[in-house]
Amino acid sequence: MADLLSIGISGLRVSQTALSVTGNNIANTDTAGYSRQTVTQVSSASQQLGANYLGSGATITDVRRIYSDYLTTQVRTSTALDSEAQTYLTQINQVNSLLADSTTGISAVLESFFSALQTAAASPTDTASRQLLLTQSSTLGERFNSIYTQLSEQNGYINQQLSSMTQQVNSLASSVAQYNQAIITASASGSAPNDLLDQRDEAVRELSELIGVTVVEQGNSYNLFVGNGQPLVVGSSASQLSAVPSTDDPSRFALQLTQNGYATLDITSSVTGGQIGGLVRYREEVLDTTLNDLGRMALVVADQVNSQLGQGLDLNSELGASLFGNINDTTLQQQRSLAQVGNSDTTANLSVYIADTSQLSTSDYEVTFSSGTEYSVRRLSDGKDMGSYDLTTSPAPVIDGFSLQLDSGSVAAGDSFTILPTRFAAGDIAVSMTDSSQLAFAAPLEATLTSGNVGTGSITQPTLTTTVDIYDSAAIADMQTSLENGTPIKLVYDAASGGSQGYTLYDASGNSIGVGSIVPGQSNQVTVTVPANPPSVPSSYAFEMTLSGSPASGDSLTIAFNANGSSDNRNALAVLELQTANTVAVNGSSGMSLTTSYSSLIETVGAKTNQAKLDAAATEAILTQATSSQSSLSGVNLDEEAANLIKFEQYYTAASQIIQVARSTFDTLINSF
């Protein structure tokens, strides 16, 4: 009877354990990371009775979790990929909407600017049209400023997110390290601590939502690595990840990994996966390049419009003033260079002068000094070596449209600077003109044929080809004096001979200043250079015009300063041509217009956005499939567990009946004596 009783008791114990495990599964149906558990039972050792072996009941050998390392790894990897893709898509959608929307983008206000310019050019003396152009110019500048502000705020948001997320990474990494230690301790008894294993796997999965990690299992521990194999967790020790101002650009946070409290490594460029990977990739691929592209457009608009206005005369017969602010203001030159942390002189910095806006790229640059004056330049967008230069070279060499000078302090071998030629320009562009009468719509020179000419000679109006530096007030004053005092210039034709016809040029004093020839009956483009003759003509200048027809000997024409040309709109039309002129660089040369440049930017961001949508949809599908596969294996099925409850309850009842039978039989035996 004792054997039957022990068999019944073992059945009760097995059934009770099975019921407890089943109940635990049901209770943890919605517990994140929980793996379904099952009871493993075996028959107890048989006892020999004579020539036979009789069973002695059942016993529990293990409470095993239903788990697949492969499926768990798949979920972890797809979680990191999907989290990165979704974060990247969320950010780039904002930029795409900002640039493409007519109410927030540049296209509409740029079109309105040129439309107002066209209206003003049609009525160059109309004050209302001129004022409208000033208003539209301010609107254009403010739109650039607005987009720059919103993009800059995104950079600040990324900094905040990186700072917050690194703290979460550190917390989860510390938890994994603690789980490692707890699992090692609990496993010493020979049994698997299922709940601790599940909790560690869930912590690693949550970590994968933040940053891509590689898991290497060593014994009962998980070692976690990020980036290019930098250790985040090793056994029970966890490194610290932090977001700090970058040594290259303090306005942007970099990711630093501190190991053992002292070894610090910048892993920003190698981080992938998770929300952190998505933010870093978005910043590098979209945010920085968009800011640079918009900045280049702002520089081209301001510089090209200002420069062309400088070639004309305003309503006061003065050479034109700048419509937009000076792109090479001292403060602006200084902010384009960032000294890297660790340079020999913390006060040293470079000034970046924009020499040719039509040659600017959208890249940043790294300048490294090999001595106190010699430096090399590397373009960061493609890693191209732009050559080696010397600070003492005069004039300073032009590199992709800009030149460098030492602004303050001193430099030594090993010092480095990050050059951002266009990064901040969209936020800096602003209208500086307040008086619409200063808009220089008229050309500075006009030509007239002498009334007594007898031939059929004709002429186009002259165009000043000497560029007036709109930002140099002294140069403008000299050119104003030269144009006023260096005219009128008279051109007198000689007799035609041998298929050509010569001419002589005379200055205002009647002195010959040059000769030339044309082919009668054809259109002849000629360039005239007026030499400097200080003090009345402090600067030389040149202009071009077209001589046509067949003038007679002695026929003449006069080129004079356009002092009374208030109704002249030739320079306004030249400014209007900037709408379609190829003023924006393509692969190092002028190749597209302003409108084409902005359209190209929208297309680029739009293409990246579309690709991001496809990537996000794909990674989401992969994650859903991986999660479904894992859940089908490790997840709790309530219907199955309910069936198990009934089954194990019946087992328990049957085992109770065994005990009842053993008791009844034992009582019968006792009573028989």
Side-chain angles (χ1 to χ4, degrees), residues 110-123 133 304-306 308-309 323 440-441 569-583 593-595:
L110 188 62
E111 183 178 346
S112 297
F113 168 77
F114 282 111
S115 177
L117 178 59
Q118 186 173 26
T119 301
S123 304
L133 178 58
Q304 296 291 335
V305 171
N306 284 350
Q308 188 58 54
L309 287 174
L323 175 60
F441 288 165
N569 69 347
R570 282 179 289 153
N571 198 50
L573 295 176
V575 178
L576 188 60
E577 289 177 358
L578 294 175
Q579 184 175 14
T580 57
N582 293 331
T583 54
S593 66
L594 289 166
T595 51

Side-chain angles (χ1 to χ4, degrees), residues 11 27 33 64 156 162 209 222 233 282 380 390 396 416 464 555 558 585 588 618 633 655 662 664:
R64 181 171 61 90
L162 290 179
E209 292 182 346
Y222 276 179
V233 176
Y282 161 75
L380 297 179
D390 196 301
S416 296
L464 185 67
D555 283 359
T558 301
L633 175 71
S664 177

Side-chain angles (χ1 to χ4, degrees), residues 345-391:
D345 183 353
T346 57
T347 66
N349 199 18
L350 302 176
S351 60
V352 182
Y353 181 86
I354 304 299
D356 186 354
T357 55
S358 67
Q359 299 301 313
L360 290 172
S361 74
T362 58
S363 177
D364 300 331
Y365 300 79
E366 182 183 59
V367 172
T368 304
F369 280 84
S370 58
S371 70
T373 59
E374 297 178 349
Y375 62 92
S376 60
V377 181
R378 183 171 66 91
R379 191 163 58 199
L380 297 179
S381 61
D382 56 7
K384 181 180 178 180
D385 183 4
M386 306 302 294
S388 299
Y389 308 93
D390 196 301
L391 284 175

